Amino acid sequence: MASSPGGSTLTPAEVRMELHAQNRGKLVRCLRQRLAESSRPVHGFVLLQGGEEQNRYCTDHAELFRQESYFAYLFGVREPGFYGAIDISSGKSILFAPRLPEEYAVWMGKIKPLAYYKEYYMVDIVFYTDEIVEVLQNHCENPGKPLLFLLYGLNTDSGNHSKPAMIKEMEKFDTDLDVLHPVLTECRVLKSEMEIGLMQYANDISSEAHVEVMRKARVGMKEYQLESVFLHHVYMYGGCRHCSYTCVCATGENSAVLHYGHAAAPNDKTLIDGDMALFDMGAEYHFYGADITCSFPVNGIFSADQLLVYNAVLKAHDNVISCMKPGDSWIDMHKLAERTILESLKEGGLIQGDVDDMMVGRLGAVFMPHGLGHLIGIDTHDPGGYPKGLERPKEPGLKSLRTTRTLQEGLVITVEPGCYFIDALLVPAMEDPDKSKHFNCREISRFRGFGGVRIESNVLVTAEGCRNLTNCPRKTWEIEAVMAGAPWPPPPPATLSQNGGYR
């Protein structure tokens, strides 16, 4: 059913806590296998600490809380201050809730009993956080100190480490900081059907909101006004209180700033006739997110130059998705996108020479300095991009890949080729003796200040190939039609009725 301006055809997806029970079961199976393979006893507790509510600096202003992602994956708890444990030998799950003071009920609402958390979050037992040490010792069936598997490991996207749970009297336990992180991270890489369902919904509402942004775009508006259209739509109609990341709402030359939208560049430029817009925005629903980029002309009609660049990126986007299947190398997919863009730019007269030579010389990184895509799930850049043994490439462009994994069924990854005209990259390349021969300087100079184009979809790898979870207008005629008021998705073609008329 096609969406109409100002409304939605969607209703918030059902959230089932069985999803997190399944995630815990998956982790227990994988941990047991890992321990058995290394000839270690199959017992101990996984212990995770949930997120804590944070105040704004020294004030009493509480920032909007969002659960720590690994904890969210295993327990689905939306409140701060919790701990969670899983008995590896029995598979039983234990949730530890903060013991709230009586005045909480005055300011924050009714204090829920432990039985509520047990039933709602589908765990086996619930205690208070001040009982962790006693409970884990009492539930340990092995002699000696109970063994705790704590979460500690490197996030290869951020360069930061996961923080292990901290409790009082830790000396009463043996701890392991090595096993849990790689096993739990690998569990998050391949998505279950229930996870895919939530990600599909996040994509559906985000796609619909992107269409609303296209429809509302007008010369003279501010970038942040269109950001607010997106945020309003996914919350008003989709129940999405959180976004997956800070919205990138870039127009004109700003669209060549890859992480535009930060505090020093806060989506505040005025939309100018003739500019391209690059809007990278995604909603989050029950922790699972979408990450979608749409590029379109501010005035609703593509110019010849805009068509050249946009169609180069669209062809790369479509070529990659048409080829993706289990067993494919993500590096090969990235290079396919690069080659496609270079071939299109050569056909358009912006560059010249042999494309194979350009690929060897890494010319594609001048126009697309970022990687083709990244794993996505509970985090926008989901962990697991570089498991142990997988090294990051060092060549320009390729070194920015957030993963070089071989594609597997159940993996969800973004496909986001782009083509940008960034002076910080173009000028040195045009002065480089090996690269300068490939530039048609007169034609390229016309694109200084153009900005860039990116097209991003969230793609599920299936047994047969892949499935695009994103549903936005992509072809230029589709974008122009939607911006002129046409419905999206388009209605099915008219068919003849029995009496010969169309219906």
Side-chain angles (χ1 to χ4, degrees):
M1 186 175 181
S3 61
S4 57
S8 175
T9 63
L10 302 171
T11 54
E14 178 187 8
V15 174
R16 297 167 57 195
M17 288 299 149
E18 289 95 335
L19 182 156
H20 304 287
Q22 287 181 7
N23 291 346
R24 293 192 295 272
K26 182 179 182 181
L27 173 62
V28 168
R29 291 191 300 273
C30 293
L31 274 176
R32 288 173 178 170
Q33 180 179 349
R34 177 64 62 87
L35 292 172
E37 288 172 351
S38 56
S39 301
R40 292 182 58 179
V42 183
H43 66 76
F45 298 93
V46 170
L47 180 65
L48 258 65
Q49 182 175 357
E52 296 287 345
E53 193 171 55
Q54 301 292 324
N55 284 358
R56 181 181 293 175
Y57 304 115
C58 65
T59 75
D60 62 355
H61 172 92
E63 302 283 3
L64 180 61
F65 176 74
R66 196 276 194 181
Q67 187 60 266
E68 193 278 329
S69 293
Y70 284 99
F71 195 81
Y73 176 81
L74 289 178
F75 293 98
V77 173
R78 60 191 175 193
E79 299 93 340
F82 278 67
Y83 285 74
I86 305 171
D87 187 333
I88 295 173
S89 59
S90 69
K92 288 186 177 180
S93 53
I94 310 171
L95 202 57
F96 297 97
R99 196 186 294 270
L100 301 172
E102 291 183 2
E103 57 265 28
Y104 181 98
V106 177
W107 300 101
M108 308 296 284
K110 183 179 178 180
I111 297 175
K112 299 180 178 68
L114 296 183
Y116 167 85
Y117 298 116
K118 179 179 184 297
E119 179 181 357
Y120 187 80
Y121 290 119
M122 296 185 66
V123 293
D124 294 297
I125 326 170
V126 182
F127 295 94
Y128 289 111
T129 53
D130 54 27
E131 301 174 300
I132 291 177
V133 174
E134 179 185 359
V135 169
L136 293 182
Q137 287 187 323
N138 289 342
H139 281 76
C140 180
E141 299 178 355
N142 300 92
K145 293 181 179 180
L147 174 60
L148 302 182
F149 291 93
L150 304 179
L151 187 70
Y152 179 77
L154 177 67
N155 184 310
T156 57
D157 284 298
S158 67
N160 298 323
H161 284 78
S162 301
K163 295 181 179 179
M166 297 295 294
I167 57 174
K168 294 180 180 179
E169 301 181 279
M170 189 68 87
E171 68 276 3
K172 294 184 176 181
F173 300 90
D174 289 329
T175 58
D176 184 300
L177 293 172
D178 299 319
V179 171
L180 180 59
H181 186 272
V183 174
L184 182 51
T185 296
E186 200 64 24
C187 286
R188 287 178 58 181
V189 169
L190 302 182
K191 289 359 185 228
S192 67
E193 286 301 318
M194 293 182 73
E195 290 180 290
I196 293 165
L198 290 177
M199 295 183 72
Q200 181 64 73
Y201 174 73
N203 269 267
D204 288 343
I205 193 65
S206 299
S207 296
E208 196 176 75
H210 270 280
V211 170
E212 281 302 298
V213 167
M214 290 182 190
R215 288 176 174 147
K216 295 286 198 312
R218 298 289 185 275
V219 171
M221 294 180 73
K222 291 287 190 179
E223 293 164 340
Y224 59 71
Q225 290 179 286
L226 293 175
E227 178 182 16
S228 74
V229 170
F230 181 89
L231 297 175
H232 170 76
H233 192 93
V234 298
Y235 198 2
M236 175 74 176
Y237 300 108
C240 299
R241 196 175 194 187
H242 293 274
C243 273
S244 302
Y245 50 92
T246 302
C247 294
V248 177
C249 304
T251 60
E253 62 185 4
N254 292 339
S255 57
V257 180
L258 300 180
H259 288 169
Y260 184 75
H262 56 85
N267 296 333
D268 61 355
K269 182 178 181 292
T270 301
L271 276 63
I272 297 173
D273 193 10
D275 278 353
M276 279 293 291
L278 186 160
F279 279 48
D280 188 339
M281 307 178 290
E284 179 184 291
Y285 186 76
H286 188 65
F287 310 120
Y288 287 86
D291 184 358
I292 298 172
T293 307
C294 294
S295 297
F296 55 90
V298 163
N299 62 15
I301 302 294
F302 284 89
S303 69
D305 285 347
Q306 290 170 346
L307 282 170
L308 169 60
V309 180
Y310 184 90
N311 282 329
V313 177
L314 179 62
K315 188 174 182 181
H317 170 273
D318 292 350
N319 281 354
V320 168
I321 292 177
S322 67
C323 289
M324 283 174 59
K325 63 183 182 302
D328 283 346
S329 159
W330 193 238
I331 293 180
D332 290 344
M333 295 296 100
H334 179 95
K335 289 181 177 179
L336 172 61
E338 275 188 338
R339 178 178 291 275
T340 303
I341 290 170
L342 290 173
E343 288 172 347
S344 295
L345 295 182
K346 178 182 176 181
E347 186 178 343
L350 274 66
I351 54 179
Q352 58 200 6
D354 185 79
V355 173
D356 287 337
D357 290 344
M358 298 179 197
M359 293 292 293
V360 171
R362 306 298 310 133
L363 189 70
V366 175
F367 297 100
M368 188 173 79
H370 59 73
L372 175 62
H374 51 80
L375 306 181
I376 183 169
I378 286 183
D379 288 313
T380 306
H381 299 150
D382 234 19
Y386 286 95
K388 187 177 180 179
L390 202 61
E391 294 187 3
R392 187 183 294 272
K394 296 178 173 58
E395 300 94 329
L398 299 178
K399 67 182 180 182
S400 297
L401 280 165
R402 295 185 182 271
T403 185
T404 55
R405 296 179 74 110
T406 297
L407 297 181
Q408 297 171 265
E409 181 182 359
L411 184 150
V412 182
I413 194 164
T414 65
V415 175
E416 50 177 307
C419 180
Y420 316 87
F421 299 87
I422 304 171
D423 279 348
L425 297 176
L426 271 176
V427 172
M430 294 171 74
E431 294 174 350
D432 182 280
D434 293 324
K435 291 185 173 67
S436 59
K437 62 185 178 183
H438 292 299
F439 290 97
N440 185 332
C441 295
R442 187 175 66 179
E443 294 298 313
I444 284 283
S445 65
R446 196 171 72 247
F447 288 83
R448 303 282 286 275
F450 176 94
V453 168
R454 181 165 65 251
I455 301 172
E456 179 181 16
S457 297
N458 303 175
V459 180
L460 166 68
V461 181
T462 65
E464 297 78 21
C466 66
R467 186 174 90 230
N468 192 345
L469 305 181
T470 305
N471 185 18
C472 291
R474 294 306 195 191
K475 295 182 174 61
T476 55
W477 65 266
E478 292 173 336
I479 292 171
E480 291 180 346
V482 163
M483 294 185 74
W488 184 265
T495 56
L496 283 171
S497 63
Q498 289 182 346
N499 62 9
Y502 284 98
R503 60 187 176 107

